[in-house]
Amino acid sequence: MNLKKLTILPAGTEVLLPAGSPLTEVEYEVPRLRPIPFGCRSGSCGACVIEVLEGLGSLGEPDPDELDFLEDLGRTGGTHRLACQCRLRGDATVRVAEDI
């Protein structure tokens, strides 16, 4: 199995997931910690906004709806994503946005 590492700050949690896994799988790997706060899981609530510090290309390309919603939230510049819309294709380091 090809595992990829996701590092989640500020908690410093490291999770290994199979390549191509949705980031929502984090909930099942470390259920008590909840390092990423997921809400709707459909990209419409903004609870899971993350800033990608390393490995932006490892999370797949955002679709236009995700980009529009991030813009509505004031998260422009291309380093923010909705974790529920990402699939881990390579190692990445993200920080949970705390000021939403």
Side-chain angles (χ1 to χ4, degrees):
M1 182 180 301
N2 187 3
L3 296 177
K4 303 300 178 188
K5 181 171 72 171
L6 177 66
T7 303
I8 306 164
L9 301 175
T13 304
E14 291 185 352
V15 180
L16 293 175
L17 297 173
S21 293
L23 294 196
T24 53
E25 291 295 308
V26 166
E27 285 190 314
Y28 304 109
E29 295 298 318
V30 286
R32 291 181 305 276
L33 298 180
R34 292 202 51 163
I36 299 174
F38 291 104
C40 69
R41 292 174 181 72
S42 65
S44 60
C45 75
C48 65
V49 171
I50 54 173
E51 179 182 6
V52 183
L53 303 177
E54 294 178 19
L56 186 62
S58 297
L59 300 177
E61 290 295 316
D63 68 25
D65 289 337
E66 179 182 353
L67 292 174
D68 287 347
F69 188 61
L70 287 167
E71 186 175 341
D72 290 346
L73 295 174
R75 303 293 181 161
T76 57
T79 59
H80 289 89
R81 294 290 311 271
L82 297 174
C84 69
Q85 301 300 297
C86 298
R87 290 190 171 270
L88 190 61
R89 296 186 170 98
D91 294 348
T93 300
V94 302
R95 178 180 4 208
V96 174
E98 299 175 338
D99 58 340
I100 299 220

Coordinates of all heavy atoms in Angstrom, one line a residue:
M1 N 0.9 -1.2 0.0 CA 0.0 0.0 0.0 C 0.9 1.2 0.0 O 1.8 1.3 0.8 CB -0.9 0.0 1.2 CG -1.8 1.1 1.3 SD -2.9 1.1 2.8 CE -3.8 -0.4 2.6
N2 N 0.6 2.2 -0.8 CA 1.3 3.4 -1.0 C 0.7 4.5 0.0 O -0.3 5.0 -0.3 CB 1.2 3.9 -2.4 CG 2.1 5.1 -2.7 OD1 2.9 5.5 -1.8 ND2 2.0 5.6 -3.9
L3 N 1.4 4.7 1.1 CA 0.9 5.6 2.1 C 1.6 7.0 1.9 O 2.7 7.1 1.6 CB 1.2 5.1 3.5 CG 0.6 3.8 3.9 CD1 1.0 3.4 5.3 CD2 -1.0 4.0 3.9
K4 N 0.8 8.0 2.2 CA 1.2 9.4 2.1 C 1.0 10.1 3.5 O 0.1 9.7 4.2 CB 0.4 10.2 1.1 CG 0.5 9.6 -0.3 CD 1.9 9.6 -0.8 CE 2.0 8.9 -2.2 NZ 3.4 8.7 -2.6
K5 N 1.9 11.0 3.9 CA 1.8 11.6 5.2 C 1.2 13.0 5.1 O 1.6 13.8 4.3 CB 3.2 11.7 5.8 CG 3.2 12.4 7.2 CD 4.6 12.3 7.9 CE 5.5 13.3 7.3 NZ 6.8 13.4 8.0
L6 N 0.2 13.2 6.0 CA -0.4 14.5 6.2 C -0.1 15.0 7.6 O -0.4 14.3 8.6 CB -2.0 14.3 6.0 CG -2.8 15.6 6.3 CD1 -2.5 16.6 5.2 CD2 -4.2 15.3 6.3
T7 N 0.5 16.1 7.6 CA 0.9 16.8 8.9 C -0.1 17.9 9.1 O -0.3 18.8 8.2 CB 2.3 17.3 8.9 OG1 3.2 16.2 8.6 CG2 2.6 17.9 10.2
I8 N -0.8 17.9 10.2 CA -1.9 18.9 10.5 C -1.4 19.8 11.7 O -1.2 19.3 12.8 CB -3.2 18.2 10.9 CG1 -3.6 17.2 9.8 CG2 -4.3 19.2 11.1 CD1 -4.6 16.2 10.2
L9 N -1.3 21.1 11.4 CA -0.9 22.1 12.4 C -2.2 22.8 12.8 O -3.1 22.9 12.0 CB 0.2 23.0 11.9 CG 1.5 22.3 11.4 CD1 2.4 23.3 10.8 CD2 2.1 21.6 12.6
P10 N -2.3 23.5 14.0 CA -1.3 23.6 15.0 C -1.1 22.4 15.9 O -0.2 22.4 16.7 CB -1.7 24.8 15.7 CG -3.2 24.8 15.6 CD -3.5 24.2 14.3
A11 N -1.9 21.4 15.8 CA -1.9 20.2 16.7 C -0.6 19.4 16.5 O -0.2 18.8 17.4 CB -3.1 19.3 16.4
G12 N 0.0 19.5 15.3 CA 1.2 18.7 15.1 C 0.9 17.2 14.8 O 1.8 16.4 14.9
T13 N -0.3 16.9 14.5 CA -0.7 15.5 14.2 C -0.2 15.1 12.9 O -0.3 15.8 11.9 CB -2.3 15.4 14.2 OG1 -2.8 15.9 15.5 CG2 -2.8 14.0 14.0
E14 N 0.3 13.9 12.8 CA 0.8 13.3 11.6 C -0.1 12.0 11.3 O -0.2 11.2 12.2 CB 2.2 12.9 11.6 CG 3.1 14.1 11.6 CD 4.6 13.7 11.6 OE1 5.0 12.6 11.7 OE2 5.4 14.7 11.5
V15 N -0.6 11.9 10.1 CA -1.5 10.8 9.8 C -1.0 10.2 8.5 O -0.6 10.9 7.5 CB -2.9 11.3 9.6 CG1 -3.8 10.1 9.2 CG2 -3.4 11.9 10.9
L16 N -0.9 8.9 8.4 CA -0.6 8.2 7.1 C -1.9 7.7 6.5 O -2.7 7.0 7.2 CB 0.4 7.0 7.4 CG 1.8 7.4 7.9 CD1 2.6 6.2 8.2 CD2 2.5 8.2 6.8
L17 N -2.1 8.0 5.3 CA -3.3 7.6 4.5 C -2.9 7.0 3.2 O -1.9 7.4 2.6 CB -4.2 8.8 4.3 CG -4.8 9.6 5.5 CD1 -5.5 10.8 5.0 CD2 -5.7 8.6 6.2
P18 N -3.6 6.1 2.7 CA -3.4 5.5 1.4 C -3.5 6.6 0.3 O -4.3 7.5 0.4 CB -4.5 4.5 1.2 CG -4.9 4.1 2.5 CD -4.8 5.4 3.4
A19 N -2.6 6.6 -0.7 CA -2.6 7.6 -1.7 C -4.0 7.7 -2.3 O -4.7 6.6 -2.6 CB -1.6 7.2 -2.8
G20 N -4.5 8.9 -2.5 CA -5.8 9.1 -3.1 C -7.0 9.2 -2.1 O -8.1 9.4 -2.5
S21 N -6.6 9.0 -0.8 CA -7.7 9.1 0.2 C -8.2 10.5 0.4 O -7.5 11.5 0.3 CB -7.1 8.6 1.6 OG -6.8 7.3 1.6
P22 N -9.5 10.6 0.6 CA -10.1 11.9 1.0 C -9.6 12.3 2.4 O -9.4 11.5 3.2 CB -11.6 11.7 0.9 CG -11.8 10.3 1.1 CD -10.6 9.6 0.6
L23 N -9.4 13.6 2.6 CA -8.9 14.1 3.9 C -9.9 13.8 5.0 O -9.5 13.8 6.2 CB -8.5 15.5 3.8 CG -7.3 15.9 3.0 CD1 -6.8 17.3 3.3 CD2 -6.2 14.9 3.0
T24 N -11.1 13.6 4.7 CA -12.1 13.2 5.7 C -11.8 11.9 6.4 O -12.2 11.7 7.5 CB -13.5 13.1 5.1 OG1 -13.5 12.2 4.0 CG2 -14.1 14.5 4.6
E25 N -10.9 11.1 5.8 CA -10.5 9.9 6.4 C -9.7 10.1 7.7 O -9.5 9.2 8.6 CB -9.6 9.0 5.5 CG -10.3 8.5 4.3 CD -11.4 7.4 4.7 OE1 -11.0 6.5 5.5 OE2 -12.5 7.6 4.3
V26 N -9.2 11.3 7.9 CA -8.5 11.7 9.1 C -9.3 11.4 10.3 O -8.8 11.0 11.4 CB -8.0 13.2 9.1 CG1 -7.6 13.7 10.4 CG2 -6.9 13.4 8.0
E27 N -10.6 11.7 10.2 CA -11.5 11.5 11.3 C -11.5 10.0 11.8 O -11.7 9.8 13.0 CB -13.0 11.8 11.0 CG -13.2 13.3 10.9 CD -14.7 13.6 10.7 OE1 -15.3 12.9 9.9 OE2 -15.1 14.5 11.4
Y28 N -11.3 9.1 11.0 CA -11.3 7.7 11.3 C -9.9 7.2 11.9 O -9.8 6.2 12.6 CB -11.7 6.8 10.2 CG -13.0 7.2 9.6 CD1 -13.1 7.9 8.4 CD2 -14.2 7.0 10.3 CE1 -14.4 8.3 7.9 CE2 -15.4 7.5 9.9 CZ -15.5 8.1 8.6 OH -16.7 8.5 8.2
E29 N -8.9 7.9 11.5 CA -7.5 7.6 11.9 C -7.2 8.1 13.3 O -6.5 7.4 14.1 CB -6.5 8.1 10.9 CG -6.6 7.5 9.5 CD -6.3 6.0 9.6 OE1 -5.4 5.6 10.3 OE2 -7.0 5.3 8.9
V30 N -7.7 9.3 13.6 CA -7.5 9.9 14.9 C -8.8 10.5 15.4 O -8.9 11.7 15.6 CB -6.4 10.9 14.9 CG1 -5.0 10.3 14.8 CG2 -6.6 11.9 13.8
P31 N -9.8 9.6 15.7 CA -11.2 10.1 16.0 C -11.3 11.0 17.2 O -12.1 11.9 17.3 CB -12.0 8.9 16.1 CG -11.0 7.8 16.4 CD -9.7 8.2 15.7
R32 N -10.5 10.7 18.2 CA -10.6 11.5 19.5 C -10.0 12.9 19.4 O -10.3 13.8 20.1 CB -9.9 10.7 20.6 CG -10.7 9.5 21.0 CD -10.0 8.8 22.2 NE -8.7 8.4 21.9 CZ -8.2 7.3 21.3 NH1 -9.1 6.5 20.8 NH2 -6.9 7.1 21.1
L33 N -9.0 13.0 18.4 CA -8.3 14.3 18.3 C -9.0 15.4 17.5 O -8.9 16.5 17.8 CB -6.9 14.1 17.7 CG -6.0 13.2 18.5 CD1 -4.6 13.1 17.8 CD2 -5.8 13.8 19.9
R34 N -9.8 14.9 16.5 CA -10.4 15.8 15.5 C -9.5 17.0 15.1 O -9.9 18.2 15.3 CB -11.7 16.4 16.2 CG -12.8 15.3 16.3 CD -14.1 15.8 16.4 NE -14.3 16.7 15.3 CZ -15.5 17.2 14.8 NH1 -16.5 16.8 15.4 NH2 -15.6 18.0 13.8
P35 N -8.4 16.7 14.5 CA -7.5 17.8 14.1 C -8.0 18.7 13.0 O -7.6 19.8 12.9 CB -6.2 17.0 13.6 CG -6.8 15.7 13.2 CD -7.9 15.4 14.1
I36 N -9.0 18.2 12.2 CA -9.6 19.1 11.2 C -11.1 19.0 11.5 O -11.7 18.0 11.6 CB -9.4 18.6 9.8 CG1 -7.9 18.6 9.5 CG2 -10.2 19.4 8.8 CD1 -7.5 18.0 8.1
P37 N -11.7 20.2 11.8 CA -13.2 20.2 12.1 C -14.0 20.1 10.8 O -14.2 21.1 10.1 CB -13.3 21.6 12.7 CG -12.3 22.5 12.1 CD -11.1 21.5 11.8
F38 N -14.5 19.0 10.5 CA -15.4 18.8 9.4 C -16.8 19.1 9.8 O -17.3 18.7 10.8 CB -15.3 17.4 8.8 CG -14.0 17.1 8.2 CD1 -13.0 16.3 8.9 CD2 -13.7 17.6 7.0 CE1 -11.8 16.0 8.3 CE2 -12.4 17.3 6.4 CZ -11.5 16.6 7.0
G39 N -17.6 19.7 8.8 CA -19.0 20.0 9.0 C -19.8 19.2 8.0 O -20.1 18.1 8.2
C40 N -20.1 19.9 7.0 CA -21.1 19.3 6.0 C -20.5 18.3 5.1 O -21.1 17.4 4.5 CB -21.6 20.5 5.1 SG -20.4 21.2 4.0
R41 N -19.2 18.3 4.9 CA -18.4 17.4 4.0 C -18.8 17.6 2.5 O -18.4 16.8 1.7 CB -18.6 15.9 4.4 CG -18.0 15.6 5.7 CD -18.3 14.2 6.1 NE -17.7 13.8 7.4 CZ -18.1 14.3 8.5 NH1 -19.0 15.2 8.6 NH2 -17.5 13.9 9.6
S42 N -19.5 18.6 2.2 CA -19.9 18.8 0.8 C -19.3 20.2 0.2 O -19.7 20.5 -0.9 CB -21.4 18.8 0.6 OG -22.0 19.9 1.3
G43 N -18.5 20.8 1.0 CA -17.9 22.1 0.5 C -18.7 23.3 0.6 O -18.5 24.3 -0.2
S44 N -19.7 23.3 1.5 CA -20.6 24.4 1.6 C -20.7 25.1 2.9 O -21.4 26.1 3.1 CB -22.0 24.0 1.1 OG -22.5 23.0 1.9
C45 N -20.0 24.6 3.9 CA -20.1 25.3 5.3 C -18.8 26.0 5.7 O -18.9 26.9 6.5 CB -20.4 24.2 6.3 SG -19.1 23.2 6.9
G46 N -17.6 25.6 5.2 CA -16.4 26.4 5.5 C -15.7 25.9 6.8 O -14.7 26.5 7.2
A47 N -16.3 24.9 7.5 CA -15.7 24.5 8.8 C -14.3 23.9 8.6 O -13.5 24.0 9.5 CB -16.6 23.5 9.4
C48 N -14.0 23.4 7.4 CA -12.7 22.6 7.3 C -11.7 23.4 6.5 O -10.8 22.8 5.8 CB -13.0 21.3 6.7 SG -13.6 21.4 5.0
V49 N -11.7 24.7 6.5 CA -10.8 25.5 5.7 C -9.4 25.2 6.3 O -9.2 25.3 7.5 CB -11.1 27.0 5.7 CG1 -9.9 27.8 5.1 CG2 -12.4 27.3 5.0
I50 N -8.4 24.9 5.4 CA -7.1 24.7 5.7 C -6.2 25.6 4.9 O -6.5 26.0 3.8 CB -6.6 23.2 5.6 CG1 -6.9 22.7 4.1 CG2 -7.3 22.3 6.6 CD1 -6.4 21.4 3.8
E51 N -5.0 25.9 5.4 CA -4.0 26.6 4.7 C -2.9 25.6 4.4 O -2.4 24.9 5.3 CB -3.4 27.8 5.5 CG -2.3 28.5 4.7 CD -1.6 29.6 5.6 OE1 -1.9 29.7 6.8 OE2 -0.8 30.3 5.0
V52 N -2.6 25.4 3.1 CA -1.6 24.4 2.7 C -0.2 25.1 2.8 O 0.1 26.0 2.1 CB -1.9 23.9 1.3 CG1 -0.9 22.8 0.9 CG2 -3.3 23.4 1.2
L53 N 0.6 24.5 3.7 CA 2.0 25.1 3.9 C 3.0 24.4 3.0 O 3.9 25.0 2.5 CB 2.4 24.9 5.4 CG 1.4 25.6 6.4 CD1 1.9 25.3 7.8 CD2 1.3 27.1 6.1
E54 N 2.8 23.1 2.8 CA 3.6 22.3 1.9 C 2.8 21.3 1.1 O 1.9 20.7 1.7 CB 4.7 21.6 2.7 CG 5.7 22.5 3.3 CD 6.8 21.7 4.1 OE1 6.9 20.4 3.9 OE2 7.4 22.3 5.0
G55 N 3.1 21.1 -0.1 CA 2.4 20.0 -0.9 C 1.1 20.4 -1.5 O 0.2 19.6 -1.6
L56 N 0.9 21.6 -1.9 CA -0.3 22.1 -2.5 C -0.8 21.2 -3.6 O -1.9 20.8 -3.7 CB -0.2 23.5 -3.0 CG -1.5 24.2 -3.5 CD1 -2.5 24.3 -2.3 CD2 -1.2 25.6 -4.0
G57 N 0.2 20.8 -4.5 CA -0.2 19.9 -5.6 C -0.5 18.5 -5.2 O -1.1 17.8 -6.0
S58 N -0.2 18.1 -4.0 CA -0.5 16.8 -3.5 C -2.0 16.6 -3.1 O -2.4 15.5 -2.7 CB 0.3 16.5 -2.2 OG 1.7 16.5 -2.6
L59 N -2.8 17.7 -3.1 CA -4.2 17.6 -2.7 C -5.2 17.7 -3.8 O -6.4 17.8 -3.6 CB -4.5 18.8 -1.7 CG -3.6 18.7 -0.4 CD1 -3.9 19.9 0.5 CD2 -3.8 17.4 0.3
G60 N -4.7 17.6 -5.1 CA -5.6 17.7 -6.2 C -5.9 19.1 -6.5 O -5.6 20.0 -5.8
E61 N -6.6 19.3 -7.7 CA -7.0 20.6 -8.1 C -8.3 21.0 -7.6 O -9.2 20.2 -7.6 CB -7.0 20.7 -9.6 CG -5.7 20.6 -10.3 CD -4.8 21.8 -10.0 OE1 -5.3 22.9 -10.0 OE2 -3.6 21.6 -9.7
P62 N -8.5 22.2 -7.1 CA -9.8 22.6 -6.6 C -10.7 22.9 -7.8 O -10.3 23.3 -8.9 CB -9.5 23.9 -5.9 CG -8.3 24.4 -6.5 CD -7.5 23.2 -6.9
D63 N -12.0 22.6 -7.6 CA -12.9 22.8 -8.7 C -13.4 24.3 -8.6 O -13.2 24.9 -7.6 CB -14.1 21.8 -8.7 CG -15.0 21.9 -7.5 OD1 -15.1 23.0 -6.9 OD2 -15.7 20.9 -7.2
P64 N -14.1 24.8 -9.6 CA -14.5 26.2 -9.6 C -15.4 26.5 -8.4 O -15.4 27.7 -7.9 CB -15.3 26.4 -10.9 CG -14.6 25.4 -11.8 CD -14.3 24.2 -10.9
D65 N -16.3 25.6 -8.0 CA -17.2 25.9 -6.9 C -16.4 26.1 -5.6 O -16.7 27.0 -4.8 CB -18.2 24.7 -6.7 CG -19.3 24.7 -7.8 OD1 -19.5 25.8 -8.4 OD2 -19.9 23.6 -8.0
E66 N -15.4 25.3 -5.4 CA -14.6 25.4 -4.2 C -13.9 26.7 -4.2 O -13.8 27.5 -3.2 CB -13.6 24.3 -4.1 CG -12.7 24.4 -2.9 CD -11.6 23.3 -2.8 OE1 -11.6 22.4 -3.6 OE2 -10.8 23.4 -1.9
L67 N -13.3 27.1 -5.3 CA -12.6 28.4 -5.4 C -13.5 29.6 -5.2 O -13.2 30.5 -4.5 CB -11.9 28.5 -6.8 CG -10.8 27.5 -7.1 CD1 -10.3 27.7 -8.5 CD2 -9.6 27.8 -6.1
D68 N -14.7 29.5 -5.7 CA -15.7 30.6 -5.5 C -16.1 30.7 -4.0 O -16.2 31.8 -3.5 CB -17.0 30.3 -6.3 CG -16.8 30.5 -7.8 OD1 -15.8 31.1 -8.2 OD2 -17.7 30.1 -8.6
F69 N -16.3 29.6 -3.4 CA -16.6 29.6 -1.9 C -15.5 30.1 -1.1 O -15.7 30.9 -0.2 CB -17.1 28.2 -1.5 CG -17.6 28.2 -0.1 CD1 -18.8 28.9 0.2 CD2 -17.0 27.5 0.9 CE1 -19.3 28.9 1.5 CE2 -17.5 27.5 2.2 CZ -18.7 28.2 2.5
L70 N -14.3 29.7 -1.4 CA -13.1 30.2 -0.7 C -13.0 31.7 -0.9 O -12.7 32.5 0.1 CB -11.8 29.5 -1.1 CG -11.6 28.1 -0.7 CD1 -10.5 27.4 -1.4 CD2 -11.4 28.1 0.8
E71 N -13.3 32.2 -2.1 CA -13.3 33.7 -2.3 C -14.3 34.4 -1.5 O -14.1 35.4 -0.9 CB -13.5 33.9 -3.8 CG -13.3 35.4 -4.1 CD -13.4 35.7 -5.6 OE1 -13.2 34.8 -6.4 OE2 -13.7 36.9 -6.0
D72 N -15.5 33.8 -1.4 CA -16.6 34.3 -0.5 C -16.1 34.4 0.9 O -16.6 35.3 1.6 CB -17.9 33.5 -0.6 CG -18.6 33.5 -1.9 OD1 -18.2 34.5 -2.7 OD2 -19.4 32.7 -2.2
L73 N -15.3 33.5 1.3 CA -14.8 33.5 2.7 C -13.6 34.4 2.9 O -13.0 34.5 4.0 CB -14.4 32.1 3.1 CG -15.5 31.0 3.2 CD1 -14.9 29.6 3.5 CD2 -16.5 31.4 4.3
G74 N -13.1 35.0 1.8 CA -12.0 35.9 1.9 C -10.7 35.2 1.8 O -9.6 35.7 2.3
R75 N -10.7 34.0 1.3 CA -9.5 33.1 1.3 C -9.0 33.0 -0.1 O -9.1 32.0 -0.8 CB -9.8 31.7 1.8 CG -10.3 31.7 3.2 CD -9.3 32.1 4.2 NE -9.9 32.0 5.5 CZ -9.1 32.0 6.6 NH1 -7.8 32.0 6.5 NH2 -9.7 31.9 7.8
T76 N -8.4 34.1 -0.6 CA -7.9 34.1 -2.0 C -6.4 34.0 -1.9 O -5.8 34.0 -0.8 CB -8.2 35.5 -2.7 OG1 -7.8 36.5 -1.9 CG2 -9.7 35.6 -2.8
G77 N -5.7 33.7 -3.0 CA -4.3 33.6 -3.1 C -3.8 32.2 -3.4 O -2.7 32.0 -3.6
G78 N -4.8 31.2 -3.3 CA -4.4 29.9 -3.8 C -3.8 28.9 -2.8 O -3.6 27.8 -3.1
T79 N -3.6 29.4 -1.5 CA -3.0 28.4 -0.5 C -4.0 27.8 0.4 O -3.7 27.0 1.2 CB -1.9 29.1 0.3 OG1 -2.5 30.2 1.0 CG2 -0.7 29.6 -0.6
H80 N -5.3 28.3 0.3 CA -6.3 27.7 1.1 C -7.2 26.7 0.4 O -7.4 26.9 -0.9 CB -7.2 28.8 1.7 CG -6.6 29.7 2.7 ND1 -5.8 30.8 2.4 CD2 -6.5 29.5 4.0 CE1 -5.3 31.3 3.5 NE2 -5.7 30.6 4.5
R81 N -7.6 25.7 1.1 CA -8.5 24.7 0.5 C -9.6 24.3 1.5 O -9.4 24.6 2.7 CB -7.7 23.4 0.1 CG -6.6 23.6 -1.0 CD -7.2 23.7 -2.4 NE -8.2 22.8 -2.7 CZ -8.0 21.6 -3.3 NH1 -6.8 21.2 -3.6 NH2 -9.0 20.8 -3.6
L82 N -10.6 23.7 1.0 CA -11.6 23.0 1.9 C -11.1 21.6 2.0 O -11.1 20.8 1.0 CB -13.0 23.1 1.2 CG -13.6 24.5 1.0 CD1 -14.9 24.4 0.3 CD2 -13.7 25.2 2.3
A83 N -10.8 21.2 3.2 CA -10.2 19.8 3.4 C -11.1 18.7 2.9 O -10.7 17.7 2.4 CB -9.9 19.6 4.9
C84 N -12.4 19.0 3.0 CA -13.4 17.9 2.6 C -13.4 17.7 1.1 O -13.9 16.7 0.7 CB -14.8 18.3 3.1 SG -15.6 19.7 2.3
Q85 N -12.8 18.6 0.4 CA -12.8 18.5 -1.1 C -11.4 18.0 -1.6 O -11.2 17.8 -2.8 CB -13.1 19.8 -1.7 CG -14.4 20.4 -1.4 CD -15.6 19.5 -1.8 OE1 -15.8 19.2 -2.9 NE2 -16.3 19.0 -0.8
C86 N -10.5 17.7 -0.7 CA -9.1 17.3 -1.1 C -8.9 15.8 -1.0 O -9.5 15.1 -0.1 CB -8.1 17.9 -0.1 SG -8.1 19.7 -0.2
R87 N -8.1 15.3 -1.9 CA -7.6 13.9 -1.8 C -6.1 13.9 -1.7 O -5.4 14.6 -2.5 CB -8.0 13.1 -3.0 CG -9.5 12.8 -3.0 CD -9.9 11.9 -4.1 NE -11.3 11.5 -4.0 CZ -11.7 10.4 -3.3 NH1 -10.9 9.7 -2.6 NH2 -13.0 10.1 -3.2
L88 N -5.5 13.1 -0.8 CA -4.1 13.1 -0.5 C -3.4 12.3 -1.5 O -3.5 11.1 -1.5 CB -3.8 12.6 0.9 CG -2.4 12.8 1.4 CD1 -2.0 14.3 1.5 CD2 -2.3 12.2 2.8
R89 N -2.6 12.9 -2.4 CA -1.9 12.2 -3.5 C -0.4 12.2 -3.2 O 0.4 11.5 -3.9 CB -2.2 12.8 -4.8 CG -3.7 12.7 -5.2 CD -3.9 13.2 -6.6 NE -5.3 12.8 -7.0 CZ -6.3 13.6 -6.9 NH1 -6.2 14.8 -6.5 NH2 -7.5 13.2 -7.3
G90 N 0.1 13.0 -2.3 CA 1.5 13.1 -1.9 C 1.5 13.7 -0.5 O 0.5 14.1 0.1
D91 N 2.7 13.7 0.1 CA 2.9 14.3 1.4 C 2.5 15.7 1.4 O 2.8 16.5 0.5 CB 4.3 14.1 1.9 CG 4.7 12.6 2.1 OD1 3.8 11.8 2.1 OD2 5.9 12.4 2.2
A92 N 1.9 16.2 2.5 CA 1.5 17.6 2.6 C 1.4 18.0 4.1 O 1.3 17.2 5.0 CB 0.1 17.8 2.0
T93 N 1.6 19.3 4.3 CA 1.5 19.9 5.6 C 0.5 21.0 5.5 O 0.6 21.9 4.6 CB 2.9 20.5 6.1 OG1 3.8 19.4 6.1 CG2 2.7 21.2 7.5
V94 N -0.5 21.0 6.4 CA -1.6 22.0 6.4 C -1.8 22.5 7.8 O -1.4 21.9 8.8 CB -2.9 21.4 5.9 CG1 -2.8 20.8 4.5 CG2 -3.5 20.3 6.8
R95 N -2.4 23.7 7.8 CA -2.7 24.4 9.1 C -4.2 24.7 9.1 O -4.7 25.2 8.1 CB -2.0 25.7 9.3 CG -2.4 26.4 10.6 CD -1.6 27.7 10.8 NE -0.8 27.9 9.7 CZ 0.3 28.6 9.7 NH1 0.8 29.2 10.7 NH2 1.0 28.8 8.6
V96 N -4.9 24.3 10.1 CA -6.3 24.5 10.2 C -6.5 26.0 10.4 O -5.9 26.6 11.3 CB -7.0 23.7 11.4 CG1 -8.4 24.1 11.6 CG2 -6.8 22.2 11.1
A97 N -7.4 26.6 9.6 CA -7.7 28.0 9.8 C -8.6 28.2 11.0 O -9.6 27.6 11.2 CB -8.4 28.5 8.5
E98 N -8.1 29.1 11.9 CA -8.8 29.3 13.2 C -9.6 30.5 13.3 O -10.3 30.8 14.3 CB -7.8 29.2 14.3 CG -7.0 27.9 14.4 CD -5.9 28.0 15.4 OE1 -5.5 29.1 15.8 OE2 -5.5 26.9 15.9
D99 N -9.5 31.4 12.3 CA -10.2 32.7 12.4 C -11.4 32.8 11.5 O -11.6 33.9 10.9 CB -9.1 33.7 12.1 CG -8.5 33.6 10.7 OD1 -8.6 32.5 10.1 OD2 -8.0 34.5 10.1
I100 N -12.1 31.8 11.3 CA -13.3 31.9 10.4 C -14.5 32.3 11.2 O -14.7 31.8 12.3 CB -13.5 30.5 9.7 CG1 -12.3 30.2 8.8 CG2 -14.8 30.5 8.9 CD1 -12.5 29.6 7.5

